[in-house]
Amino acid sequence: MPFPEQRPRRLRINENIRRMVRENSLSVDDLVYPVFVCHGSGQSFPIDSMPGIYRYSVDMLLRELEEIVKLKIPAILPFGLPAQKDEAGSGAYAEDGIIQQAVRAVKREYPDLTVITDLCLCEYTDHGHCGIILDNYVMNDPTLELLARTAVSHAAAGADIIAPSDMMDGRVGAIRTALDKNGYVNIPVMAYSAKYCSAFYGPFRDAADSAPKFGDRRSYQMDPANSDEALREVRLDIEEGADIVMVKPALAYMDIIRRVRDEFGFPVAAYNVSGEYSMVKAAANNGWVDEKRIVMEILTGIKRAGADIVITYHAREAAKWLQD
Ligand code: PBG
């Protein structure tokens, strides 16, 4: 029955009817807030390329989190800036490493806030790559041992979920085995399964001081041109024991989010990354777009694409807007 029997505008006539037929909605329950932590006390450094985002020392982070908890954002994703870096990224698995200290402090102060730890070596290696280097190549299997060790140290510090973002082959299995062997059978792994080699990580690398000192990450992160490969990566991670799978970045990869959701029916996380945030902030600060409407449209779009969990630097503001 075409027009005039069918008039789709009938269901858009007022807000109540629009609410009744709305297919997707964003909730604070969906949000994860990434944070940057550094050593020292009383420190809060603004990150120029990410307006509104800071590197905090642990004491200042605890203050910042008061609002996050009040807003009922369920989880944070802390990234650490170590005091020193070395070839093997030892700050990543040091017992008193920055993440280990931060996690212990956060869980002591806010036991009900879920802490997801990003598991990678690039913030901790002096060369800035996500694994051990031999002849300018990131070695896969030797890196797995360090990742497994880091995962166990995060769990020992009190992390609730471990999120490997390195893109080494076999890391999910190695981490799962190590966690289980150490008694952490109930700690889920949220795998950065389809993580693309993306220019959208630019501002993050300023924030976390994690840009590679030579070359790039193309020998381990995925080619943005690929889609079937993302499904193979996700399948492998699920077979190795991943509980939640992630697509990253989000906006240029909405099709991947949808394919992963349709194919596997596993919980899907999408990472609305630093460059995606910075572009919105830059345009909004120039008065070129309506920030609130743009952010809500982006986050709702990521949900509509099929994500259950949205990791976003907009989380604090979005949670406030959702309350209004
Ligand atoms: C660590 C890691 C990165 C991001 C999250 N974990 C950077 C990278 O892979 O270079 C990027 C997050 C963002 O851009 O917001 N490997």
Side-chain angles (χ1 to χ4, degrees):
M1 264 190 309
F3 181 84
E5 286 80 5
Q6 279 295 335
R7 287 181 182 268
R9 290 184 58 193
R10 285 182 198 126
L11 297 184
R12 297 177 200 140
I13 203 146
N14 64 43
E15 181 56 12
N16 272 349
I17 293 181
R18 289 193 294 270
R19 276 170 59 203
M20 290 164 70
V21 300
R22 188 161 289 147
E23 298 175 39
N24 293 284
S25 59
L26 182 70
S27 150
V28 68
D29 301 342
D30 308 323
L31 303 175
V32 174
Y33 190 48
V35 294
F36 298 96
V37 210
C38 59
H39 285 285
S41 65
Q43 309 287 332
S44 76
F45 300 107
I47 297 158
D48 290 342
S49 55
M50 301 178 72
I53 304 293
Y54 295 77
R55 294 177 178 179
Y56 290 115
S57 52
V58 174
D59 57 327
M60 299 299 277
L61 175 68
L62 294 178
R63 274 168 55 172
E64 159 85 3
L65 293 182
E66 204 179 308
E67 192 189 11
I68 298 299
V69 169
K70 241 187 232 134
L71 287 165
K72 298 199 160 59
I73 293 173
I76 60 163
L77 178 68
F79 292 95
L81 288 113
Q84 276 133 27
K85 303 186 187 227
D86 57 30
E87 217 181 11
S90 62
Y93 38 90
E95 216 209 296
D96 63 346
I98 182 65
I99 283 295
Q100 289 76 2
Q101 287 184 29
V103 172
R104 278 193 292 264
V106 170
K107 291 305 293 187
R108 200 180 312 124
E109 193 81 10
Y110 306 107
D112 297 333
L113 179 64
T114 294
V115 177
I116 306 171
T117 51
D118 180 274
L119 180 57
C120 197
L121 299 180
C122 63
E123 293 118 271
Y124 305 91
T125 51
D126 50 14
H127 45 72
H129 278 288
C130 305
I132 295 293
I133 303 277
L134 187 67
D135 296 335
N136 285 345
Y137 184 73
V138 177
M139 299 291 289
N140 196 85
D141 300 13
T143 300
L144 296 183
E145 286 166 40
L146 300 183
L147 293 170
R149 202 161 143 190
T150 308
V152 171
S153 83
H154 287 183
D160 297 291
I161 298 178
I162 307 288
S165 71
D166 53 284
M167 288 301 275
M168 297 301 115
D169 294 334
R171 79 270 166 77
V172 172
I175 290 163
R176 185 71 270 161
T177 304
L179 288 173
D180 291 355
K181 216 164 52 200
N182 286 275
Y184 301 112
V185 295
N186 283 327
I187 296 199
V189 173
M190 173 194 274
Y192 287 72
S193 301
K195 178 173 178 180
Y196 287 87
C197 189
S198 172
F200 284 99
Y201 308 150
F204 173 95
R205 292 180 189 171
D206 292 343
D209 185 27
S210 65
K213 296 286 182 292
F214 66 90
D216 54 42
R217 304 209 201 287
R218 280 180 237 215
S219 80
Y220 42 107
Q221 297 182 346
M222 281 181 55
D223 182 340
N226 295 354
S227 171
D228 291 339
E229 186 190 7
L231 299 195
R232 295 199 294 275
E233 281 282 7
V234 170
R235 181 171 296 113
L236 286 169
D237 283 358
I238 289 173
E239 285 168 3
E240 289 175 32
D243 301 278
I244 300 170
V245 292
M246 196 195 300
V247 176
K248 176 188 175 189
L251 295 185
Y253 303 89
M254 294 273 210
D255 57 323
I256 309 298
I257 298 173
R258 172 48 57 191
R259 284 193 77 185
V260 168
R261 137 81 49 229
D262 286 348
E263 180 81 16
F264 299 100
F266 258 63
V268 178
Y271 200 141
N272 176 217
V273 300
S274 56
E276 298 171 336
Y277 173 86
S278 300
M279 290 194 308
V280 168
K281 282 288 179 183
N285 289 344
N286 273 297
W288 295 337
V289 294
D290 177 332
E291 182 173 0
K292 175 177 170 182
R293 288 191 55 203
I294 285 269
V295 168
M296 291 317 215
E297 186 173 334
I298 286 174
L299 300 181
T300 304
I302 294 171
K303 282 217 66 191
R304 191 198 62 242
D308 302 280
I309 297 168
V310 185
I311 303 167
T312 179
Y313 303 95
H314 296 294
R316 185 162 44 91
E317 280 162 305
K320 272 192 228 160
W321 291 324
L322 285 166
Q323 276 186 346
D324 299 341

